[in-house]
Amino acid sequence: MSDFTSNFWTVYISVITLVGMVACLVLLWVTGKTHVMSSDDSTGHVWDEDLREMNNPLPRWWVWMFVISVVFGFAYLALYPGLGSHAGQLGWTSLGEYRAEVSKAEADEAPLYAKFSAMTPEALSRDPQAKLVGERLFMNNCAQCHGSDARGSKGFPNLSDGDWLYGGSPDKIKETITLGRIGQMPAMAAAVGTPAEAKNVANYVLSLSGSPHDSLRAALGKSKFTVCAACHGADGKGNQALGAPNLSDNTWLHGYGENAIVAMVNHGKVNQMPAQSGLLTQAQIHVLTGYVWGFSNK
Amino acid sequence: MKPPESAPRTVIPIAVSKDTSPISPPEGASPVLVSLYEAHQKIYPRSVSGRFARLRWAMVFFTQLLFYGLPWLHWGERQAVLFDLAARRFYIFKLVLYPQDFIYLTGLLVISALSLFLFTAVAGRLWCGYACPQTVYTEIFMWIERKTEGDRIAHMRRDEGPWNWDKLWRKSLKQVLWLAVGLWTGFTFVGYFTPIHVLAGEVAQWSFGSWEIFWVLFYGFATYGNAGYMREQVCMHMCPYARFQSAMFDKDTLIVGYDQARGEPRGSRSRKADPAQLALGACIDCNLCVHVCPTGIDIREGLQYECIGCGACADVCDEVMDKMDYPRGLVKYSTQNAIQNGWSGSEIFRRVLRARVLLYTVILWLIIGIVGFGLLARPPFKVDVERDRKSLARELPGGVIENVFRLQIMNVTESELRVHVQVDGLPGLKVVSDEDLSVAPAQSRWFVLRLQLPPGQATPGSHPIHFEIDGQDDTTVLKEKAVFMVPH
């Protein structure tokens, strides 16, 4: 009980509890007798003219039940935590019970995960049982960002469209889940130049995917795109080794349109996928890999 | 109808009494110090036969055939009545209940409580005397006791006598039989929660789970202890019903009553003697009504809270009256008014239709009607629609607005269910789902649905919409409200 800096509260609560329990027994003993009238076996109390209180003794086993529950109370407090900082003779803790339950559940699941671990992610994505397990893992660990339908939203990638920042092979997916990713788009305002030039680049980027754009600005922006090409490639198709997005498809993770692109060019962005290795077991990640791979490989 | 007796009613004013002195004991009484507790006095009820005893045995057979038999019945592939706590499905014949159907249990409890009120107002403690498990199992256990240790007198003599071989084997046999009934009861009870065929297989192989064995032993012990040893003490010191029945009784409630006017003065006499000449009433003071009483009271002292209304005293007294050639019914089911005023059966019957009884009846049937209709009109599936936790809305290339919803379908039938979903509320709103919306029998499943709205169909903000979920091969269409978000 590190919450308490002094022993005072332990003593305080223990004394109240133990004295209270003893007091219960004393009370039981003291109140165990009553006066009754020799004439009619009533207590002599009369209400409402003729309503008498009779002496109807309880069977004695009731008293023993009470004594037993007090004894049980003492035994319980000796064995389990309850009296202040006293940890109890059995050493029981809620954390210990939780861990025991978790390890039991893990032991129960072990054969299932052993079976899954022996399968390829491709096979897992077709296995109905693995899909059910994968669905639960996904809903509990991934859906918070990627959405229940895995289609993500602004800033959170869609996992079902076959467009991958870091690669869509099972190995790459597993790597992403296990270690996480930190995507970095540096602020390029200085490299691109004036705000007008940033707009030109944005229009050129729009043109790469055939999106509506100002073709004059796009033509002007083409030369400035060389600073972007270092990561996104000369043709703007991105680089999965760096996690640089393909700009020539119609997937816009951080927003669509000129304004969104200008903001990204000027300010950059750091976007993070947290590592799951400490949260999920290797076997769980393996099942998830198959499940996630299955979204874009039906 | 006005009561014939027109004595002025004593009214107790609700006010603070001026008299603050201690309540004085009656004249000539002296207080004695006694313990509030006493050793339990064992009751040896004499065996009884007669119409009420036969009725009770009929109820014993009926309730126990029901209780012991029900878990063995089959309904299709499964046990007909099974409460699967682990899977949270409760099967009662055709019904498959989910935890969401808890309201029906509430309804059942309300119906049970109101039935108890109604029966109590009309006929007193019928439940206690004929249907309560405490009475039923005590009846079975006492039957075993009488078969092994003998009826009242023989049993009392043997208990007082020294331990010998005769006493030993009789008591041992009784214990074996009691334990067998107790364990079988515990086993049956657990059989409502774990499929009883599985449980029986486990017992046969001596391999059941520790919780199952715990509950079998627990309920077995409870049966053994309550029906074998606690008996009337459960009714007198544990059951609250004895204590609140007075709130539901009135002077027209059927009780087991002693006809004091006819019976007193009591006294023994020869069969041939004319009681009128001896100035005696019909009661021959044989005390048999006390000997047969399972709670050990004397019914001639009037209605007492211990009386469970079993009618054993009425049965035995009728027998005695027959032997004496007196008319039956010195102790009988009657009402306080009827005994006082010497009313006939039809008069009692007329009094059944009084405001309290009619009110209970109307409320009871109303609730039975509501719960019954609720069960009959229960749709074959339940639906829950939730917005996805992650994003309010997403904009697809081309300006289509997409909202994600999670749809839970709970199939309460035992066949595969396939639903069709459509939405209403915004022009052009459509449902997109990659999944086959089918749910296995008695299973619940979540689906992910995407709702897509073409560009420019709604202003930014939230728009009320509703889902219509169609059970396809059924006529059921369930509606669920939801909200569609359009981003700024």
Side-chain angles (χ1 to χ4, degrees), chain B residues 379-381 383 419-422 424 466-480:
Chain B
F381 59 95
V383 163
V419 297
H420 175 75
V421 181
Q422 62 178 53
D424 259 331
H466 60 259
F467 284 76
E468 277 182 16
I469 299 103
D470 182 356
Q472 296 221 332
D473 43 336
D474 200 275
T475 49
T476 318
V477 177
L478 295 183
K479 286 193 175 187
E480 278 286 310

Side-chain angles (χ1 to χ4, degrees), chain B residues 114-115 117-119 121-122 352-369:
Chain B
L114 278 169
S115 310
F117 297 171
L118 175 65
F119 286 130
V122 174
V352 167
L353 301 173
R354 54 192 189 275
R356 170 198 288 258
V357 175
L358 294 177
L359 193 69
Y360 284 151
T361 312
V362 169
I363 300 175
L364 180 62
W365 281 109
L366 199 70
I367 292 176
I368 290 177

Side-chain angles (χ1 to χ4, degrees), chain B residues 75-388:
Chain B
W75 188 268
E77 298 280 290
R78 60 162 169 86
Q79 191 170 317
V81 179
L82 180 69
F83 309 118
D84 189 345
L85 293 178
R88 292 170 193 82
R89 295 287 182 279
F90 309 94
Y91 304 96
I92 303 168
F93 295 100
K94 191 175 181 289
L95 278 179
V96 181
L97 296 170
Y98 278 61
Q100 283 84 346
D101 293 311
F102 223 74
I103 186 76
Y104 295 116
L105 181 63
T106 314
L108 182 69
L109 291 176
V110 172
I111 290 171
S112 305
L114 278 169
S115 310
L116 192 71
F117 297 171
L118 175 65
F119 286 130
T120 306
V122 174
R125 293 173 69 175
L126 274 190
W127 164 259
C128 301
Y130 296 92
C132 176
Q134 180 61 23
T135 297
V136 165
Y137 287 106
T138 300
E139 196 76 17
I140 297 171
F141 273 56
M142 285 205 298
W143 180 81
I144 292 172
E145 196 168 54
R146 290 197 189 107
K147 288 291 161 201
T148 50
E149 296 196 67
D151 203 359
R152 179 177 157 88
I153 304 292
H155 188 190
M156 284 167 83
R157 281 217 189 100
R158 204 166 272 124
D159 271 6
E160 277 161 24
W163 278 96
N164 54 27
W165 171 239
D166 178 62
K167 186 170 170 176
L168 184 70
W169 80 256
R170 282 172 187 280
K171 283 205 179 284
S172 309
L173 180 61
K174 177 185 83 174
Q175 291 295 338
V176 169
L177 293 172
W178 276 8
L179 286 170
V181 175
L183 285 175
W184 186 248
T185 308
F187 169 78
T188 305
F189 190 86
V190 174
Y192 280 89
F193 298 90
T194 299
I196 201 159
H197 281 97
V198 176
L199 195 64
E202 287 173 350
V203 172
Q205 292 169 16
W206 210 247
S207 67
F208 28 27
S210 53
W211 278 113
E212 283 155 0
I213 200 163
F214 171 81
W215 288 114
V216 168
L217 292 178
F218 183 89
Y219 285 104
F221 175 75
T223 310
Y224 168 85
N226 283 334
Y229 293 97
M230 301 300 288
R231 291 188 182 171
E232 81 288 347
Q233 299 180 77
V234 173
C235 314
M236 287 158 65
H237 304 295
M238 297 181 190
C239 181
Y241 183 41
R243 306 293 171 148
F244 70 71
Q245 59 166 327
S246 58
M248 287 176 282
F249 272 45
D250 54 34
K251 289 192 169 174
D252 293 312
T253 296
L254 214 54
I255 55 169
V256 179
Y258 166 67
D259 192 342
Q260 202 149 3
R262 197 189 132 196
E264 299 296 315
R266 62 183 86 156
S268 55
R269 78 291 305 265
S270 137
R271 234 192 116 218
K272 291 166 201 126
D274 177 13
Q277 271 182 353
L278 296 165
L280 285 175
C283 176
I284 65 164
D285 205 11
C286 62
N287 271 334
L288 280 181
C289 53
V290 181
H291 295 164
V292 296
C293 180
T295 64
I297 58 167
D298 186 345
I299 196 66
R300 292 171 297 179
E301 286 171 14
L303 179 63
Q304 292 146 74
Y305 79 90
E306 292 96 334
C307 176
I308 59 167
C310 68
C313 46
D315 269 342
V316 80
C317 192
D318 280 350
E319 222 171 84
V320 171
M321 292 295 111
D322 286 352
K323 277 186 196 143
M324 298 297 292
D325 266 336
Y326 297 166
R328 284 181 164 202
L330 180 61
V331 178
K332 63 184 170 189
Y333 278 103
S334 186
T335 70
Q336 231 172 317
N337 270 338
I339 291 176
Q340 262 169 22
N341 308 319
W343 286 350
S344 64
S346 59
E347 189 85 13
I348 296 174
F349 191 71
R350 197 130 48 85
R351 288 287 182 122
V352 167
L353 301 173
R354 54 192 189 275
R356 170 198 288 258
V357 175
L358 294 177
L359 193 69
Y360 284 151
T361 312
V362 169
I363 300 175
L364 180 62
W365 281 109
L366 199 70
I367 292 176
I368 290 177
I370 293 169
V371 173
F373 177 77
L375 272 178
L376 284 177
R378 191 166 168 256
F381 59 95
K382 291 170 187 293
V383 163
D384 198 10
V385 171
E386 268 180 22
R387 288 188 55 85
D388 193 31

Side-chain angles (χ1 to χ4, degrees), chain A residues 253-268:
Chain A
L253 181 58
H254 297 287
Y256 168 70
E258 190 188 271
N259 291 343
I261 298 171
V262 168
M264 183 61 86
V265 168
N266 285 338
H267 307 301

